[in-house]
Amino acid sequence: MEHSKTHYPILFFFVLCSWFFFTIAEAAATEQPISLVNDRLFLLNDLHSSLNPDQAFAAFKEKEFSQNSQNKVSFGFTQSTIWAVLPVENITEQPWKNIIKIDNAWLDHVDIYFFFDDMLIHQTSIGDNLPFTQRERSTRMPSVEYEFSVGTSHVLFRLRSQDPMTLPIYLGSEKAMMSSFTENAYFYGALYGGLLILFIYNLALYVYLREPRYLLYPTYLFAFTLFNFTYTGHGFWLVWSDSVAMQQWLMPSLMFCYLFSAVMFTIGFLNTRTYLPSLYTLRHRIYLSLLTIAGLIFLSGNRSFIIMIQLVLLTCLSIWMLVVGYLSYKNKDPLAKFFIPAIIMGAGGATISSFATWGVIPYSQWAFRGIELGMFLEMSLLSISLGFNFKLAQEARKSAENNARLDPLTNLYNRRAFSELVHPSWELCKRSNHPVSIMLMDLDWFKRINDQFGHTAGDEILEDVAKVIKGRIRNADIPLRWGGEEFLIFLPNTNSKQAKLLAEDLRKEIEKIDINKTDTNKTDSVTMSIGVVSATPDQIDLDKLITLADESLYSAKEKGRNTVVMMAYKKPIDLSVGT
């Protein structure tokens, strides 16, 4: 039963993932497609940001724009203004309402101009330099609705940003956009819900165990979640909708917090104090170096430079985490076997997102979400590993508790375990008024045996005596090594006659143990003195019964040893009753 419980976190993880992908598939199944239209764009890089909209459109008409036939989505870090023109042809017989969406929440300036018959008809701004209250549509991703007249319209985009210039532009109907919105809601609901559950689960483990790694993990997870919540635009959309400065500076700030927490988590999670002591010794210098770098780059005040440096550091971080994981694995850290594949998942997801953004692989929303899917899998596997570590710790604790109650030589319970084991059985006999017996046994002349044959021979005799005892008693009987060469056996539901027969049987069997096993021509036997006492629990308390057993043992020693002395306790009659 205990073994099956250890699979519950893993089972939960797969159930969560199954639900996660089922809901996504369900949303996708009902979705009317929205189109990524980047391959229909015409682009111009305005190096000096000198053109106005009319000049840019005139340059397009003069064919100074180049067609984006390679479906380019990312333009990296640039101080230039990017102009893009999207021709939209309405071949129906009536005006056609459509929505244009830019699937990137961190672009600073996005100005859109609608031209028809070479005339400017409408213009709007939707970048994150505008609070949501000043936008035409209050959606997480910048979007605008426009009614296209019959014929060919041209949509002119002017784009500038200190953040990476990633421009996935989608076109679709209101219904298609709502379907896409529903899919995103399912996705991020499952993602943040799963991360929240992992956060609470591991925070509860920390509260219970007070082990630092169980606090470092939720800190790492929380830092990633906040960073993700910001760069996906959820924070600006839902929380700080009117604070443009917070949106623009929180992303680089939280990116550094995520980076810093990842370093702390790696050093703490992998128990580098034991397995990589040199790294553990340097940890404070590493933390101080990161804080110094952060201070210097933030003092520059240039967001593009700050984010660029942090992206380089994040790339180096993934490599560093894998190297540390590998070295820990070589040094036999049990958690490294979880850590390495977890980091590979996270880094792999980030690589897919990066490749999709830079055009190495075809861009899609799922490829762009690779970092989130990879990090979710990474966080889940790390959480499972901490659950595994918790299981190991619990097993170690139980093993330590059992070892504390067991005599390592004879594998019998020791005196410390007496109350815990005997009292329940005693109380049960007390309720049913059944007799109990206690047998106290002591090896005769044991010190002489140690002196003559050595302590190794003495230990072997104790082991042999324990084997004899365990081979002759019932499952309900409780044998203990009482101390030194003394043994105690608690016998529930056993009267004096039964106890004496067992004592005699044990004495005779123990007498067959040969001390001098190496010399087959000479036999030296072991003898045992045994004191036995029987009573019912309503007659006497347990401590008094043990005292009487000790007195019986003393009598057996007085009678010449190698004998059994039986005492059947009878409750004294109170002669004052009735007078």
Side-chain angles (χ1 to χ4, degrees), residues 267-280:
I267 293 173
F269 175 85
L270 289 173
N271 194 12
T272 53
R273 184 174 188 174
T274 301
Y275 297 101
L276 293 173
S278 57
L279 176 62
Y280 183 80

Side-chain angles (χ1 to χ4, degrees), residues 12-283:
F12 165 76
F13 167 70
F14 284 111
V15 169
L16 179 65
C17 284
S18 298
W19 171 78
F20 172 83
F21 289 112
F22 172 78
T23 54
I24 292 298
E26 182 181 36
T30 61
E31 180 182 346
Q32 295 183 3
I34 59 174
S35 302
L36 180 69
V37 295
N38 284 59
D39 59 341
R40 293 158 54 184
L41 294 176
F42 293 83
L43 303 171
L44 177 67
N45 189 356
D46 185 2
L47 294 175
H48 303 292
S49 300
S50 58
L51 300 177
N52 62 37
D54 290 328
Q55 292 171 332
F57 190 67
F60 168 72
K61 300 296 289 184
E62 293 294 327
K63 301 188 183 303
E64 294 179 19
F65 281 56
S66 58
Q67 186 168 4
N68 186 29
S69 56
Q70 295 182 343
N71 202 27
K72 189 175 181 181
V73 171
S74 177
F75 299 85
F77 289 92
T78 177
Q79 299 299 317
S80 305
T81 296
I82 301 296
W83 293 92
V85 173
L86 173 66
V88 179
E89 187 174 2
N90 180 4
I91 59 174
T92 66
E93 297 180 354
Q94 56 187 1
W96 178 38
K97 271 192 177 182
N98 255 330
I99 293 174
I100 295 172
K101 180 180 77 168
I102 301 178
D103 205 24
N104 183 347
W106 65 70
L107 294 176
D108 295 340
H109 300 275
V110 180
D111 303 311
I112 304 179
Y113 307 89
F114 294 89
F115 286 84
F116 184 75
D117 283 343
D118 296 341
M119 294 181 60
L120 178 61
I121 306 300
H122 178 67
Q123 68 181 67
T124 187
S125 297
I126 55 176
D128 73 359
N129 67 321
L130 286 176
F132 272 84
T133 53
Q134 297 181 25
R135 299 187 187 185
E136 289 186 10
R137 288 171 54 85
S138 182
T139 54
R140 178 174 64 91
M141 294 298 181
S143 65
V144 60
E145 184 179 42
Y146 183 73
E147 185 174 83
F148 292 92
S149 300
V150 177
T152 301
S153 301
H154 292 89
V155 185
L156 176 67
F157 299 86
R158 177 166 59 184
L159 306 132
R160 289 179 292 121
S161 184
Q162 292 191 51
D163 300 305
M165 188 76 78
T166 303
L167 309 173
I169 299 176
Y170 288 88
L171 180 67
S173 67
E174 175 70 27
K175 186 176 181 180
M177 288 293 176
M178 283 302 299
S179 182
S180 175
F181 173 83
T182 302
E183 178 190 338
N184 278 287
Y186 274 121
F187 176 84
Y188 285 106
L191 176 68
Y192 292 138
L195 292 176
L196 178 62
I197 290 171
L198 294 176
F199 175 81
I200 294 173
Y201 170 69
N202 287 278
L203 193 62
L205 285 180
Y206 169 72
V207 171
Y208 177 71
L209 295 173
R210 298 293 177 180
E211 188 176 340
R213 72 178 68 183
Y214 291 96
L215 181 60
L216 289 173
Y217 172 81
T219 303
Y220 175 46
L221 189 152
F222 186 64
F224 167 76
T225 304
L226 281 182
F227 171 52
N228 181 271
F229 192 72
T230 302
Y231 88 75
T232 56
H234 285 93
F236 195 24
W237 181 41
L238 299 172
V239 184
W240 49 85
S241 303
D242 294 324
S243 180
V244 172
M246 183 175 289
Q247 169 63 12
Q248 292 181 341
W249 284 99
L250 261 184
M251 191 170 79
S253 301
L254 291 174
M255 186 188 298
F256 176 77
C257 292
Y258 164 61
L259 187 152
F260 190 81
S261 67
V263 172
M264 290 188 66
F265 171 72
T266 300
I267 293 173
F269 175 85
L270 289 173
N271 194 12
T272 53
R273 184 174 188 174
T274 301
Y275 297 101
L276 293 173
S278 57
L279 176 62
Y280 183 80
T281 303
L282 294 172
R283 70 192 187 285

